[in-house]
Amino acid sequence: MRKFEEVLEKAKGIPTCKVAVAAAEDEHVLEAVLAAKKQGIAEAVLVGDKEKILALAAQCGVAAEDLTIVHEANPSKAALEAVRLVSSGEAQVVMKGLIPTADFLRAVLNKDVGLRQGKQVLSHVAVMEIPGREKLLFMSDGAMNMRPDLPQKVQILKNVVHVAHALGLEKPRVAALAAVEVVNPDMPETVDAAALTKMCERGQIKGCIVDGPLALDNALSEEAAHHKGIVSEVAGRADVLLVPEIICGNMLYKAATFLAQGAVAGVVVGAKAPIVMTSRADSSAAKLQSIALAVLAAQPQK
């Protein structure tokens, strides 16, 4: 896919999902879920302070009878209820509202109603529409795992490939990023990148093409890759940027928004259901795009 318009259109073409919103008394979150409903992307179950939710909805011109609200004024309890709705199958996606991320994740990981699947790694997948680029760019993980080791990177890679497949990319090209494009034992991320490349070649990681280590310029620019003599199916044509640690991913995501004036979306995957955990700084449009991304990621894949 080349634009978020295509993501929204694709999400409209599947059976409507329900999104359970934890602490839904948030203006931008409410705007996004109302837009998702209007466009036929998703229905919403709003868990939170009913009075505050209704007040915000009234500002948007939405009547109470058009909303499904579960009253729970305590944000932590609201998060637990939203997660329970998903774990019980009453909703297919859970979304963070006006609640601290740590409290929200505590509910997601709750032993009784939480969404964790054994030891499966939860990771954040960002999708970015950058002006001047012809196609959407995937990136992981810039929000969940601080300094993942090689086994965690394998799961992070599988998670982002799952999302790429959900958006119709059959065999995404993955660049395992580092500061340089040569293996250097003093830079562990280059060793991990080389290991991921070999694991993909041997069929231990399926559904994608991996190459690394690659520096960012070599991953995205065919000219840069040519100048450095790098010949691969990925160099200069990467669909996915696999970052070595959270700092790199966080900066890339925010640079895409605040420096490149790009459009963004994000979803946490690896749990029993997709999790929309947007930043307070994200726009209503970014939140809507993230809902559409989660709806697509929630669909069973062939």
Side-chain angles (χ1 to χ4, degrees), residues 153-166 169-174 195-211 240 242 301-302:
K153 287 177 182 178
V154 170
Q155 291 194 50
I156 291 168
L157 174 53
K158 291 178 178 179
N159 286 345
V160 69
V161 168
H162 167 82
V163 177
H165 287 173
L169 201 56
E170 293 184 3
K171 197 138 187 168
R173 298 182 177 94
V174 181
L196 291 169
T197 302
K198 182 56 69 175
M199 291 172 75
C200 184
E201 288 176 1
R202 292 184 173 181
Q204 292 172 260
I205 300 170
K206 302 182 185 297
C208 61
I209 304 169
V210 181
D211 193 20
V240 178
L242 188 72
Q301 293 187 16
K302 298 177 181 178

Side-chain angles (χ1 to χ4, degrees), residues 125-146:
V125 175
V127 181
M128 304 175 286
E129 181 185 315
I130 309 296
R133 285 191 59 82
E134 292 185 355
K135 58 186 179 180
L136 294 173
L137 185 63
F138 298 75
M139 186 272 294
S140 195
D141 174 1
M144 289 288 290
N145 297 280
M146 293 181 66

Side-chain angles (χ1 to χ4, degrees), residues 1 15-16 22 33 37 42 52 56 73-74 77 92 99 101 103 120 127 129 137 152 197 203 224 254 259 279 291:
M1 290 187 178
T16 303
V33 296
K37 179 178 180 179
K52 293 180 180 178
L56 289 172
N74 182 292
K77 291 181 179 179
Q92 291 72 48
I99 179 173
T101 299
D103 294 342
Q120 176 69 29
V127 181
E129 181 185 315
L137 185 63
Q152 290 171 322
T197 302
K254 290 175 180 175
L259 292 179
S279 166
I291 291 171

